[in-house]
């Protein structure tokens, strides 16, 4: 722990207010805190406890993202919410209460679910210093890759357009845009025909992306619908032959895509249909026309009004699909056979004929496009429709942890994921790279360099002959001078070696202890400074080596191969590396411990250490500035004061390269054997939590949330956990009582557990923001029943 930073006699209000914490992280740490922007996802009891412990020490600002309304359960566990706030926005009320704690902190909220924010403004989270997420369920990973793949078979002249927007090809603005430009590309290539299919295993397309319509941004909503109209017009009126190979479910908008093609080949055991009414939605006229043109007025009316989804064989007998196949490959081959039927027909003739057949339907939409758009927008914004969509969304239950973790990993924004459930607490830190200069070790040996003093220090120390000093002077010289003197005496008798072993050190200690000269009463008394010198034998004679963690940093690729993206930390490391290479040691820290000595002798010595530290830091600064210049980095990227701090703490530099939560969730093997063999290991909580996440994803509730479902939930959770363990190739089973325990919690948060965990999580966030103290790496579990905790690197 660092010593208190010196204060001016008139402390500013701010330093009075934050006095105690300034002792921990200093003005520079406080400055980073005051400039930080923290995002909290979900204002649960735990979330608000974390923010409380960040607002009080004075973070710059916070933003709460939470689309939930306050429930009775919230009131039971969250001390920031009052009884009369039930039904109000949880984000808003929590923000107001938290802001009352510290007028220096700014705060705002977004009354939307994190899923919604993610779907509409992907980069929203990039602007934060840290994102904290509580009670956030996982989600399968969806990538930024191209959303459609177009390939052309040169031999047959047939193009394949494959939808590839995981997980279910739901039609959002970007996918529709890519389909449309894929079709343009194919049209330009004058292909003989197009096969429209999907890369997903069991879904052709899940229809319109509900996120485009639920709580929409009106501008984007307009644009979205126009692009949907365009895409349909393009596909429906496509001049070349079109076949849908429906290799999975095709509800609503997915069915529309298939209906827009001329021929449909569907794999067995899936469903297809315009099921809008089942969702409380009305399908637009051109959706209806697309179906009517395939199965006729009567069947369409029956299917549409009931919102029927037909199984593959039913769809075949209804004429909704033309052929049934066992799998996609067979579907593609059948599609090629269909397209080859037109081999002997002139493409223009074929195209014109298709145009004439479809002309009326196309013209209908062309004529009413604007009106159709307005109707849709008005309809979509209608509160009743939004209500339906909300219910529907809840049924689909989105999960965002995985995409959020992937997104923040790429954006290099730290993510802190926390969960408090019953007596169990969990904190998981995700940082791609985190560097710490001031680790504040609990105990630190003074950096005195007595084994290899630099010339100025040597000259000073050699100038004092301790053995010839009079009684008064002797008692005032600093312990270091005494230690150095007797160390040299020791070396004279030991071939120039410094003492290493305990026995050797005892010899040196004895030399110092036997040194007193008799006082005026003839009594030999060992002075305080000599006692100190004896004490320093243990801690100050270790040879100057570079700690292994620092050497690892200096040998790191980021230190050796700098780029324009290198952070100031790495530029300083590269400069430090050069100093180490030329001087064979790290720079002197420059601080001298307090010791019994007269002021002059102490200050002389202190100045020597201080000056050497300054000289070395200046050399590192010059080198770092040169490196930054060579890389074309801005001149002010590295300041002299930063370099001085860096050099002072060069022997405690700390680097964490973390692990992405999304990767962790997608891992297929996990060696848990050693943990599971230990009955006291808290690792079982990790397994239970992963099981819990899956349970929530699958059943949309917490296990044991409903009293009459506890026993069935125990069975379900057990089966989910054993599936997880077998996915990880782990042969151990989790003890039944663990599963029962989690089900007993029923997803409830206990305030006391959240308060403790909130304090711990806030500490970790402060470490991340200030880049001081070592943050945990990377998962922390807390068992409030036994008051045990454990950290694991997952
Ligand atoms: C306002 C007027 C508009 C009128 C016209 C409307 C047209 C439409 O197209 S509305 C959309 C109708 N779509 C559906 O009803 C399909 C809903 N989805 C499903 O039934 C299933 O997802 C499935 C059968 C297509 C696939 O099932 P499965 O393989 O089991 O996958 P999941 O259900 O677990 O879904 C995975 C993942 O995808 C999310 N999701 C599914 N459908 C949509 C969608 N249409 N929009 C957005 N997101 C969707 C689902 O929530 C899951 O997400 P995570 O839980 O986050 O993993």
């Amino acid at each position: 722990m660092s010593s208190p930073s010196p204060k001016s006699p008139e402390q500013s209000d701010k330093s009075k207010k934050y006095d105690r914490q300034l002792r921990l992280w200093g003005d520079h740490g406080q400055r980073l805190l005051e400039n930080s922007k923290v995002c909290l996802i979900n204002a649960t009891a735990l979330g608000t406890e974390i923010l409380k412990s960040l607002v009080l020490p004075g973070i710059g600002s916070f933003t709460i993202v939470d689309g939930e309304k306050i429930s009775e359960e919230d009131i039971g566990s969250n001390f920031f919410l009052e009884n009369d706030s039930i039904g109000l926005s949880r984000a808003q009320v929590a923000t107001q209460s938290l802001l009352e704690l510290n007028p220096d902190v700014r705060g705002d909220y977004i009354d939307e679910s994190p899923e919604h924010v993610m779907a509409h403004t992907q980069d929203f989270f990039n602007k934060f210093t840290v994102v904290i997420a509580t009670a956030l369920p996982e989600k399968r990973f969806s990538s930024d890759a191209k959303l459609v793949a177009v390939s052309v078979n040169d031999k047959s002249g047939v193009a394949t357009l494959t939808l590839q927007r995981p997980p279910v090809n739901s039609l959002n603005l970007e996918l529709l845009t890519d389909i449309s430009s894929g079709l343009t590309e194919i049209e330009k290539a004058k292909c003989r025909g197009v096969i429209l299919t999907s890369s997903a295993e069991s879904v052709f397309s899940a229809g319109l992306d509900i996120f485009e319509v639920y709580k929409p941004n009106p501008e984007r909503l307009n644009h979205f619908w126009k692009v949907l109209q365009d895409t349909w017009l393009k596909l429906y009126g496509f001049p070349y032959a079109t076949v849908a190979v429906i290799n999975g479910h095709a509800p609503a908008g997915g069915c529309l895509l298939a209906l827009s093609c001329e021929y449909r080949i569907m794999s067995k055991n899936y469903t297809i249909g315009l099921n809008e009414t089942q969702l409380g939605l009305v399908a637009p006229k051109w959706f209806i026309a697309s179906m009517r043109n395939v199965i006729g007025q009567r069947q369409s009316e029956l299917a549409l009004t009931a919102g029927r989804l037909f199984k593959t064989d039913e769809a075949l007998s209804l004429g909704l699909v033309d052929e049934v196949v066992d799998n996609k490959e067979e579907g593609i081959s059948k599609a090629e056979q269909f397209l080859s039927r037109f081999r002997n027909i002139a493409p223009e003739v074929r195209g014109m004929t298709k145009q004439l057949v479809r002309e009326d339907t196309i013209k209908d939409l062309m004529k009413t496009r604007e009106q159709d758009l307005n109707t849709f927008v008005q309809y979509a914004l209608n509160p009743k429709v939004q209500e339906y969509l909300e219910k529907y969304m809840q049924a689909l239950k989105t999960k965002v942890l995985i995409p959020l973790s992937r997104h923040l990993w790429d954006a290099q924004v730290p993510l802190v994921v926390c969960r408090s459930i019953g007596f169990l607490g969990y904190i998981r830190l995700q940082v791609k790279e985190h560097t710490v200069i001031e680790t504040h070790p609990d105990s630190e040996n003074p950096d005195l360099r007595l084994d290899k003093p630099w010339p100025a220090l040597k000259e000073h120390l050699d100038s004092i002959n301790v053995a010839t000093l009079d009684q008064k002077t002797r008692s005032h010289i600093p312990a270091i001078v005494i230690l150095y003197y007797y160390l040299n005496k020791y070396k004279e008798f030991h071939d120039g070696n410094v003492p290493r072993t305990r026995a050797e050190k005892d010899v040196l200690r004895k030399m110092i202890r036997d040194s007193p000269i008799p006082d005026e009463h003839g009594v030999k008394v060992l002075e305080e400074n000599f006692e100190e010198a004896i004490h320093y034998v243990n801690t100050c004679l270790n040879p100057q080596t570079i700690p292994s963690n620092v050497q690892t940093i200096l040998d790191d690729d980021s230190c050796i191969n700098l780029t324009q993206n290198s952070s100031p930390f790495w530029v300083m490391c590269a400069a430090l590396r050069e100093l180490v290479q030329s001087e064979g040691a790290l720079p002197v820290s420059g601080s001298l411990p307090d010791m019994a000595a007269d002021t002059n002798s102490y200050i002389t010595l202190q100045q020597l250490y201080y000056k050497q530290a300054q000289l070395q830091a200046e050399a590192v600064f010059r080198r770092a500035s040169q490196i930054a210049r060579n890389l074309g980095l801005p001149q002010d990227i590295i300041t002299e004061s930063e370099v001085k701090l860096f050099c002072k703490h060069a022997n405690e530099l700390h680097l964490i390269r973390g692990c992405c939560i999304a990767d962790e969730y997608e891992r297929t093997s996990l060696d848990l054997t050693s943990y599971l063999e230990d009955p006291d290991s808290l690792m079982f909580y990790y397994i239970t939590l992963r099981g819990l996440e899956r349970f929530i994803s699958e059943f949309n509730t917490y296990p044991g949330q409903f009293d009459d479902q506890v026993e069935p939930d125990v069975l379900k959770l057990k089966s989910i956990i054993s599936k997880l363990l077998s996915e990880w190739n782990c042969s151990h089973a989790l003890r039944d009582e663990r599963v029962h325990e989690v089900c007993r919690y029923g997803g409830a948060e206990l305030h006391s557990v959240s308060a403790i965990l909130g304090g711990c999580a806030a500490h970790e966030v402060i470490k991340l923001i200030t880049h001081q103290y070592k943050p945990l790496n990377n998962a922390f579990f807390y068992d409030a029943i036994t008051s045990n905790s454990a950290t694991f690197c997952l």
Side-chain angles (χ1 to χ4, degrees):
M1 209 132 296
S2 71
S3 52
S5 50
K7 295 273 164 345
S8 67
E10 294 123 29
Q11 282 183 315
S12 69
D13 283 350
K14 204 167 251 176
S15 25
K16 272 188 205 149
K17 176 172 167 181
Y18 296 132
D19 178 55
R20 291 176 73 94
Q21 66 200 47
L22 288 174
R23 292 161 194 251
L24 294 177
W25 50 73
D27 289 336
H28 55 297
Q30 185 65 24
R31 221 171 9 257
L32 288 171
L33 206 61
E34 287 173 14
N35 289 333
S36 66
K37 294 181 185 152
V38 176
C39 176
L40 170 70
I41 294 178
N42 292 333
T44 55
L46 173 58
T48 45
E49 287 295 329
I50 299 173
L51 264 192
K52 175 194 83 181
S53 303
L54 293 172
V55 167
L56 287 172
I59 48 168
S61 65
F62 68 83
T63 302
I64 297 181
V65 176
D66 188 347
E68 295 291 322
K69 301 284 175 257
I70 297 169
S71 66
E72 273 182 38
E73 287 76 29
D74 288 321
I75 302 291
S77 60
N78 194 329
F79 282 16
F80 286 86
L81 309 174
E82 302 281 348
N83 247 332
D84 55 4
S85 55
I86 290 182
L88 301 180
S89 150
R90 198 164 67 173
Q92 182 182 9
V93 176
T95 301
Q96 283 158 355
S97 309
L98 285 161
L99 282 175
E100 285 171 19
L101 298 177
N102 191 342
D104 292 331
V105 176
R106 282 163 289 119
D108 60 11
Y109 64 92
I110 295 192
D111 181 17
E112 297 285 2
S113 68
E115 298 87 321
H116 185 86
V117 175
M118 278 285 285
H120 283 80
T121 15
Q122 267 268 316
D123 291 344
F124 171 84
F125 294 103
N126 294 16
K127 62 180 180 222
F128 294 103
T129 322
V130 182
V131 174
I132 303 163
T134 66
L136 196 65
E138 62 171 286
K139 180 188 169 75
R140 268 157 275 166
F141 165 55
S142 69
S143 76
D144 295 340
K146 234 178 149 353
L147 303 177
V148 301
V150 174
S151 64
V152 180
N153 182 332
D154 290 336
K155 233 160 120 195
S156 64
V158 171
T160 305
L161 194 154
T162 308
L163 310 179
Q164 47 181 33
R165 180 173 181 242
V168 290
N169 289 324
S170 59
L171 300 164
N172 71 346
L173 176 61
E174 288 74 21
L175 175 56
L176 287 168
T177 310
D178 281 5
I179 295 174
S180 180
S181 45
L183 288 172
T184 310
E185 193 184 318
I186 293 167
E187 195 175 343
K188 278 193 197 141
K190 295 201 167 36
C191 291
R192 209 161 47 76
V194 189
I195 299 171
L196 180 63
T197 189
S198 145
S199 67
E201 246 174 45
S202 59
V203 183
F204 175 70
S205 162
L208 304 192
D209 190 326
I210 301 293
F211 286 106
E212 293 289 3
V213 197
Y214 176 64
K215 293 197 182 167
N217 165 334
E219 211 175 295
R220 181 169 165 117
L221 185 69
N222 254 278
H223 187 37
F224 166 72
W225 197 254
K226 280 188 194 157
V227 173
L228 178 66
Q229 289 175 336
D230 279 342
T231 310
W232 178 81
L233 287 167
K234 201 176 262 181
L235 181 62
Y236 202 77
F238 202 65
Y240 303 106
T242 51
V243 189
V245 171
I246 310 161
N247 55 318
H249 298 290
C255 176
L256 178 75
L257 280 186
L259 287 170
S260 310
C261 296
E262 289 159 48
Y263 200 72
R264 281 155 291 281
I265 300 165
M266 186 163 174
S267 297
K268 281 179 186 158
N269 300 325
Y270 294 114
T271 54
I272 184 167
L274 293 180
N275 57 326
E276 279 78 354
T277 54
Q278 288 281 354
L279 321 175
L281 302 173
V282 178
K285 221 174 150 192
W286 40 291
F287 279 49
I288 295 173
S290 305
M291 179 172 257
R292 194 180 44 226
N293 293 346
V294 173
I295 59 170
Q297 171 93 10
R298 168 130 184 85
Q299 292 304 338
S300 298
E301 188 173 301
L302 288 175
L304 282 156
T305 47
R308 285 279 313 267
L309 279 175
F310 299 98
K311 298 222 178 84
T312 305
D313 48 355
E314 292 173 319
L316 179 70
S317 43
L318 195 64
L320 191 57
V321 300
D322 302 289
E323 286 189 65
V324 173
V325 287
D326 282 328
N327 52 46
K328 181 172 163 184
E329 289 65 40
E330 195 190 340
I332 299 278
S333 144
K334 295 275 185 197
E336 280 166 351
Q337 281 174 31
F338 168 76
L339 291 169
S340 67
R341 288 184 200 174
F342 309 112
R343 206 178 290 139
N344 299 325
I345 300 174
E348 309 74 36
V349 174
R350 211 205 82 89
M352 280 172 70
T353 310
K354 172 178 174 180
Q355 215 64 30
L356 289 174
V357 174
R358 298 192 164 208
E359 189 177 53
D360 289 348
T361 313
I362 292 174
K363 274 189 181 158
D364 268 357
L365 177 61
M366 294 289 276
K367 269 191 280 176
T368 57
R369 265 191 92 157
E370 202 54 38
Q371 189 190 332
D372 177 70
L373 172 67
N374 293 337
T375 312
F376 163 73
V377 171
Q378 266 180 28
Y379 179 71
L381 295 177
N382 181 311
K384 197 84 204 145
V385 172
Q386 285 295 321
E387 219 175 277
Y388 279 127
L389 288 171
E390 172 147 11
K391 279 204 192 113
Y392 189 59
M393 298 267 301
Q394 274 167 6
L396 283 173
K397 185 67 193 170
T398 48
K399 300 145 240 166
V400 292
L401 175 58
I402 291 183
L404 180 72
S405 115
R406 180 81 64 197
H407 184 80
L408 294 178
W409 179 261
D410 292 341
Q412 309 221 16
V413 176
L415 170 66
V416 181
V417 174
C418 309
R419 203 178 261 288
S420 160
I421 167 166
F423 289 100
L424 164 64
Y426 161 69
I427 303 173
R428 165 76 160 89
L429 257 54
Q430 174 184 292
V431 280
K432 193 166 193 174
E433 178 184 291
H434 182 74
T435 53
V436 187
I437 295 173
E438 292 164 271
T439 54
H440 301 272
D442 286 340
S443 63
E444 217 178 343
N445 290 339
D447 178 17
L448 300 178
R449 309 289 167 112
L450 295 184
D451 57 334
K452 277 188 202 149
W454 60 93
L457 178 66
K458 184 169 172 9
E459 192 186 330
H460 174 72
L461 294 174
D462 283 341
S463 70
I464 305 167
N465 185 346
V466 175
T468 59
L469 298 176
D470 60 58
Q471 179 87 50
K472 192 170 167 224
T473 321
R474 244 180 85 88
S475 63
H476 287 119
I477 50 163
I480 290 173
V481 177
I482 303 166
L483 184 59
Y484 177 78
Y485 178 82
Y486 286 101
L487 177 66
N488 278 345
K489 287 273 164 245
Y490 175 95
K491 279 159 77 179
E492 276 174 29
F493 297 105
H494 295 85
D495 300 330
N497 293 323
V498 292
R500 296 258 180 274
T501 63
R502 191 187 169 142
E504 287 167 353
K505 285 181 180 171
D506 277 346
V507 172
L508 175 59
R509 274 191 276 261
K510 188 166 181 319
M511 287 170 75
I512 303 173
R513 198 169 289 118
D514 290 345
S515 71
I517 48 174
D519 63 11
E520 65 265 33
H521 309 293
V523 183
K524 283 183 176 182
V525 180
L526 193 63
E527 299 91 333
E528 195 185 344
N529 49 344
F530 279 68
E531 292 279 10
E532 277 179 355
I534 290 173
H535 169 77
Y536 283 137
V537 169
N538 228 1
T539 52
C540 299
L541 296 180
N542 299 328
Q544 266 311 304
T545 50
I546 298 169
S548 59
N549 54 315
V550 178
Q551 191 60 57
T552 309
I553 292 174
L554 298 184
D555 292 341
D556 194 280
D557 189 53
S558 302
C559 179
I560 295 166
N561 298 314
L562 295 167
T563 68
Q564 283 196 325
N565 297 326
S566 296
S567 67
F569 177 85
W570 287 114
V571 175
M572 292 193 286
C573 284
L576 176 68
R577 187 182 152 85
E578 289 184 17
L579 181 104
V580 169
Q581 276 168 349
S582 73
E583 302 200 3
L586 291 170
V588 180
S589 80
S591 45
L592 207 56
D594 286 341
M595 52 190 81
D598 72 288
T599 314
N600 276 346
S601 336
Y602 182 79
I603 289 181
T604 309
L605 204 53
Q606 194 184 41
Q607 284 296 321
L608 279 164
Y609 277 93
Y610 177 76
K611 266 193 201 137
Q612 178 67 2
Q614 296 298 303
L615 281 172
Q616 289 182 317
E618 278 160 23
V620 174
F621 176 62
R622 276 195 302 279
R623 190 61 207 124
S625 305
Q626 182 62 46
I627 294 171
R629 253 194 311 282
N630 295 347
L631 288 168
L633 294 169
Q635 272 309 293
D636 58 354
I637 188 160
I638 289 154
T639 64
E640 195 164 353
S641 59
E642 259 174 337
V643 174
K644 281 184 177 157
L645 190 77
F646 176 81
C647 289
K648 185 172 165 63
H649 298 281
N651 69 341
E652 25 165 311
L653 301 179
H654 184 68
L655 166 69
I656 295 181
R657 289 247 164 73
C659 151
C660 177
I661 294 175
D663 287 343
E664 180 194 321
Y665 275 58
E666 281 158 15
R667 217 178 270 162
T668 48
S669 76
L670 200 56
D671 189 9
L672 300 171
T673 318
S674 58
Y675 298 115
L676 292 175
E677 275 165 2
D678 170 7
D680 296 327
S681 168
L682 297 197
M683 180 49 98
F684 69 85
Y685 277 140
Y686 175 69
I687 302 161
T688 317
L689 270 168
R690 290 290 303 274
L692 181 90
E693 298 273 3
R694 275 234 181 136
F695 187 102
I696 301 167
S697 301
E698 282 186 25
F699 302 107
N700 213 357
T701 60
Y702 283 97
Q705 187 168 345
F706 302 104
D707 288 347
D708 59 343
Q709 288 301 310
V710 178
E711 282 314 310
D713 284 357
V714 167
L715 295 178
K716 285 185 205 160
L717 185 58
K718 263 202 242 174
S719 117
I720 287 177
I721 289 176
S722 51
K723 196 157 164 264
L724 257 176
L725 288 168
S726 82
E727 279 173 25
W728 293 333
N729 290 322
C730 179
S731 52
H732 279 72
L734 198 67
R735 293 219 308 268
D736 278 2
E737 68 256 33
R738 313 280 196 210
V739 183
H740 280 271
E741 192 182 313
V742 170
C743 289
R744 259 201 315 277
Y745 299 153
E749 254 192 284
L750 301 177
H751 177 262
S752 50
V753 177
S754 294
I756 294 175
L757 199 68
C760 299
H763 274 119
E764 295 308 315
V765 173
I766 291 173
K767 291 179 195 172
L768 293 175
I769 293 173
T770 58
H771 282 260
Q772 293 189 39
Y773 300 91
K774 292 181 191 172
L776 69 91
N777 188 17
N778 52 23
F780 169 84
F781 293 88
Y782 171 60
D783 175 352
I785 298 178
T786 59
S787 285
N788 271 338
S789 64
T791 333
F792 298 102
C793 187
L794 298 171

